[in-house]
Amino acid sequence: MHRASPIIIIIPVFNDWECLNILIAKIDQVLHEENIDVDIYILNDCSTIAYHEIFDLCETKAINQIYMLDLKRNLGHQRAISIGLAFLEANVKCKAIVVMDSDGEDDPRDIPKLIYKCMEEKYEKIVFARRTQRSESVLFRLFYQMYKYAFKLLTGQYIDMGNFSIVPFISLQRIVIVSEIWNHYAAGILKARIPFTSIPCKRSCRIAGKSKMNFVSLVMHGLSAISIYGDIIGTKALIAAVMLMLLSILIIAIVYIVRIAVPDWAPYIAGISFIIFLQLATISFSFIFLILNGKNNFVFLPTRDFHYFVLGVKKLNSIDYIKNQHLT
């Protein structure tokens, strides 16, 4: 483990080198004005475009070092973040890590706000950027609101933040044993009940190019967050299924009682109710086993498994390349 700048910024990237170029220049300018020194770790999510074809580093004032952490395969930005956090926890000593996206929608001007709030919290809480205003289309904002309400209804938790955050090193040691961040970083922290707070931040517009996040990807991203609470959702569904089972039994009992008065439709109602009863009983048992299995299922543990996905790390201003076997 080596000492780095007090603050490290990690940025997952997949082919978005043009945006990253501009973003790093903006980060350097903002942090230089605030007299804040940082290191940057670019999480190269197995990009198909070579970074040196587009990415052109300029001289930096506030950014001391820029590292490229290459992954062996494309994982998506959520899983790339989990790999990056686990790598830093194992290999680097710092005060806090800023997590942000590469497209510029996470405004570099908000980085000092996150850092100062984290300092105010004495580096004991994660600080998220809470979105007060979004730059997307009306249709996207409508679906996003529907997603937040669905998340609240199904999980009992309210989520209004994304990746943009700062993680104190003391919290990082807890995060890297949270298997849920493999699917969704923010929801995983919510589920693990790691202390956090938030500050209001306006979401900026994309710096350059077009977003690779289509509607299907957005739906999958939302479902990944909800899936983390599979045990809670399964329990609620189990309770609902049991209530419907009792209702089916009640209907069958009523039909049996009034069968003489209404002989025509009584057998049909009783038969349908009995079928519903059997289906709900099957669903209930399925949910029971799903919940019990989920309680004991730790498919991915960041601190244990991250090195399987790391190809290597290098400084962008040197030819040194540290092979994966020398990282830990």
Side-chain angles (χ1 to χ4, degrees):
M1 181 176 289
H2 71 274
R3 288 196 170 272
S5 296
I7 305 297
I8 292 176
I9 301 175
I10 63 171
I11 308 172
V13 181
F14 178 71
N15 290 340
D16 221 353
W17 303 116
E18 183 182 1
C19 275
L20 184 64
N21 238 354
I22 301 170
L23 179 65
I24 287 180
K26 288 187 174 184
I27 290 173
D28 188 64
Q29 179 183 353
V30 169
L31 297 186
H32 178 64
E33 292 172 358
E34 297 288 335
N35 196 27
I36 298 173
D37 292 333
V38 300
D39 289 345
I40 289 181
Y41 277 77
I42 300 168
L43 311 179
N44 180 15
D45 194 16
C46 201
S47 296
T48 56
I49 300 173
Y51 73 91
H52 52 75
E53 295 179 7
I54 302 174
F55 192 55
D56 184 22
L57 277 177
C58 58
E59 184 179 352
T60 57
K61 299 175 182 178
I63 301 171
N64 295 327
Q65 296 288 349
I66 299 179
Y67 298 90
M68 182 80 72
L69 184 67
D70 293 315
L71 304 186
K72 291 180 180 178
R73 57 158 295 179
N74 180 260
L75 297 170
H77 62 293
Q78 295 297 305
R79 295 182 175 184
I81 288 171
S82 70
I83 298 296
L85 291 175
F87 172 85
L88 291 178
E89 193 275 334
N91 295 281
V92 178
K93 182 70 174 178
C94 63
K95 282 190 174 181
I97 298 96
V98 173
V99 181
M100 67 187 304
D101 293 333
S102 63
D103 54 13
E105 293 184 359
D106 296 335
D107 195 334
R109 290 173 295 184
D110 291 325
I111 296 176
K113 299 177 185 177
L114 291 171
I115 294 173
Y116 295 145
K117 181 62 176 177
C118 191
M119 291 172 60
E120 183 182 321
E121 297 289 342
K122 299 179 181 179
Y123 293 98
E124 294 177 350
K125 289 184 179 180
I126 301 169
V127 182
F128 281 97
R130 184 177 71 254
R131 298 307 180 191
T132 57
Q133 185 176 346
R134 306 188 69 93
S135 57
E136 294 90 349
S137 65
V138 175
L139 183 61
F140 178 92
R141 293 199 294 269
L142 175 62
F143 278 109
Y144 185 71
Q145 287 296 325
M146 291 171 60
Y147 155 69
K148 289 198 296 184
Y149 290 136
F151 190 90
K152 174 66 174 177
L153 176 65
L154 293 172
T155 69
Q157 300 283 345
Y158 186 77
I159 188 167
D160 60 353
M161 65 271 196
N163 298 331
F164 197 21
S165 60
I166 182 168
V167 181
F169 195 81
I170 189 172
S171 297
L172 181 63
Q173 295 171 323
R174 299 179 61 183
I175 290 174
V176 295
I177 62 168
V178 177
S179 58
E180 289 88 351
I181 67 170
W182 181 247
N183 286 327
H184 197 283
Y185 165 65
I189 290 172
L190 275 175
K191 179 72 180 297
R193 298 180 181 177
I194 298 174
F196 74 91
T197 186
S198 63
I199 58 172
C201 295
K202 179 182 176 181
R203 192 171 185 86
S204 297
C205 297
R206 184 177 177 83
I207 296 176
K210 294 183 179 180
S211 175
K212 301 175 183 65
M213 182 76 82
N214 55 32
F215 182 74
V216 174
S217 299
L218 289 170
V219 172
M220 289 179 60
H221 181 66
L223 291 176
S224 294
I226 293 173
S227 69
I228 288 174
Y229 288 84
D231 54 345
I232 295 175
I233 296 171
T235 303
K236 289 184 176 181
L238 174 61
I239 294 171
V242 170
M243 296 298 292
L244 289 172
M245 285 172 59
L246 295 175
L247 180 61
S248 300
I249 294 172
L250 178 63
I251 292 173
I252 293 172
I254 293 173
V255 169
Y256 179 78
I257 293 171
V258 301
R259 69 188 187 282
I260 298 175
V262 282
D264 293 334
W265 55 264
Y268 297 102
I269 297 298
I272 292 173
S273 299
F274 183 69
I275 292 172
I276 292 173
F277 171 81
L278 291 178
Q279 289 179 334
L280 290 173
T282 303
I283 293 172
S284 299
F285 281 114
S286 299
F287 275 127
I288 289 171
F289 288 113
L290 180 65
I291 294 166
L292 292 176
N293 181 62
K295 283 290 186 179
N296 299 310
N297 189 19
F298 292 93
V299 177
F300 176 83
L301 199 62
T303 189
R304 180 192 65 196
D305 301 327
F306 78 90
H307 63 276
Y308 292 119
F309 299 92
V310 176
L311 179 64
V313 61
K314 56 192 170 187
K315 290 182 181 179
L316 293 188
N317 57 349
S318 75
I319 60 173
D320 298 330
Y321 192 84
I322 308 171
K323 290 298 183 181
N324 184 31
Q325 58 264 33
H326 300 308
L327 294 180
T328 56

